[in-house]
């Protein structure tokens, strides 16, 4: 089972940083950590991914612990449009397939 | 630059009817995937393809068949629809690493 563990829901004030945790304690050495989000009923959207090092792009930052058993997605200045379900997924490999869990519903409050 | 296009967007079927969902991508991606999403749940992988002419089973393949005759198209078939197949179906494609591009979904109701 390639699932991860995330809180069911979180709140964040608009303009503040949103920190979404994820536990992947059984991740193997060649598995990446991927983050996607799904706004309302749209198709999921890729956010960021990483293996060992911390990563940053125009949308978010990804902090991976040294033992790789957990990670945190950071949205530096959350807006109302960031309200969505955020999925943390471990995977990759030759088939490139991803197994989604139930994710974290992030509610950004005005 | 359409990305991933799913056809149709909505459909109502009667139990026992058959239908085919079409996924088309114009990004020359090798990998394609079909997921279903039930209310309040995450996405579950039905079938996937790692290249033209290949298909493989995912987490929940029963009751579905797929074909990838052309690189740009991935078809999902329901031979005999059942109410349990009422769901939102998402198609995705990727070129390298699982940086998926998803379609907007097909909302299927089986009555």
């Amino acid at each position: 089972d390639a699932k991860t563990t995330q809180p069911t829901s979180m709140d964040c004030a608009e303009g503040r940083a949103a920190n979404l945790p994820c536990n992947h304690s059984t991740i193997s050495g060649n598995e990446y950590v991927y983050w996607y989000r799904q706004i309302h009923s749209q198709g999921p959207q890729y956010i960021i991914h990483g293996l060992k090092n911390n990563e940053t792009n125009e949308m978010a930052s990804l902090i991976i612990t040294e033992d790789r058993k957990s990670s945190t997605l950071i949205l530096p200045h959350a807006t109302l449009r960031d309200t969505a379900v955020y999925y943390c997924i471990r995977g990759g490999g030759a088939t490139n397939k991803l197994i989604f869990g139930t994710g974290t519903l992030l509610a950004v409050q005005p | 630059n359409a990305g991933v296009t799913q056809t149709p967007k909505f459909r109502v079927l009667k139990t026992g009817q058959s239908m085919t969902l079409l996924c088309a991508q114009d990004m020359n991606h090798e990998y394609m995937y079909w997921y279903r999403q039930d209310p309040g749940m995450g996405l579950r992988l039905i079938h996937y393809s790692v290249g033209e002419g290949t298909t493989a089973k995912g987490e929940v393949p029963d009751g579905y068949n797929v074909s990838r005759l052309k690189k740009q198209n991935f078809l999902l078939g329901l031979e005999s629809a059942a109410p349990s197949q009422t769901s939102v179906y998402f198609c995705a494609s990727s070129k390298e690493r699982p940086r998926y591009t998803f379609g907007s979904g097909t909302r299927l109701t089986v009555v």
Side-chain angles (χ1 to χ4, degrees):
Chain A
D1 187 337
K3 295 286 180 67
T4 59
T5 303
Q6 299 178 252
T8 303
S9 63
M10 294 181 64
D11 289 341
C12 176
E14 188 176 20
R16 303 297 295 269
N19 296 276
L20 290 86
C22 178
N23 180 286
H24 33 79
S25 58
T26 60
I27 195 169
S28 61
N30 61 351
E31 284 184 304
Y32 283 70
V33 177
Y34 296 84
W35 284 84
Y36 282 75
R37 73 180 183 183
Q38 186 174 26
I39 297 173
H40 195 44
S41 300
Q42 300 175 20
Q45 175 190 22
Y46 166 85
I47 301 173
I48 199 168
H49 74 279
L51 182 63
K52 295 180 181 179
N53 300 320
N54 299 336
E55 303 287 346
T56 296
N57 63 20
E58 66 279 3
M59 289 183 67
S61 295
L62 175 60
I63 308 298
I64 302 175
T65 58
E66 191 170 345
D67 61 9
R68 302 212 322 125
K69 292 185 176 181
S70 65
S71 61
T72 301
L73 179 75
I74 301 172
L75 307 178
H77 304 287
T79 71
L80 298 178
R81 288 180 293 181
D82 291 322
T83 292
V85 176
Y86 287 77
Y87 297 99
C88 168
I89 309 162
R90 43 181 279 200
T95 62
N96 262 10
K97 66 180 182 180
L98 296 178
I99 304 300
F100 285 73
T102 53
T104 296
L105 173 59
L106 175 68
V108 180
Q109 309 292 341
Chain B
N1 187 14
V4 176
T5 303
Q6 292 185 231
T7 311
K9 295 189 184 306
F10 302 92
R11 185 72 184 270
V12 178
L13 279 181
K14 293 182 179 179
T15 298
Q17 286 185 319
S18 63
M19 77 164 295
T20 300
L21 283 66
L22 171 63
C23 177
Q25 52 96 1
D26 61 0
M27 298 170 286
N28 200 35
H29 284 173
E30 289 293 331
Y31 305 89
M32 297 187 74
Y33 310 83
W34 276 108
Y35 288 87
R36 61 176 285 175
Q37 185 172 34
D38 300 318
M41 298 183 66
L43 284 75
R44 291 184 292 170
L45 181 63
I46 306 172
H47 285 280
Y48 63 98
S49 168
V50 300
E52 181 179 311
T54 75
T55 63
K57 295 179 180 180
E59 298 176 277
V60 288
D62 293 343
Y64 305 95
N65 56 76
V66 287
S67 64
R68 183 101 181 267
L69 299 179
K70 294 183 179 180
K71 186 177 184 178
Q72 63 268 34
N73 295 336
F74 195 27
L75 279 63
L76 178 70
L78 287 72
E79 290 185 348
S80 180
S84 61
Q85 295 178 304
T86 293
S87 190
V88 181
Y89 292 84
F90 287 103
C91 175
S93 70
S94 71
K95 185 171 184 178
E96 57 185 14
R97 295 282 170 224
R99 292 188 58 168
Y100 291 6
T101 299
F102 278 86
S104 58
T106 294
R107 282 151 181 78
L108 175 66
T109 301
V110 182
V111 298

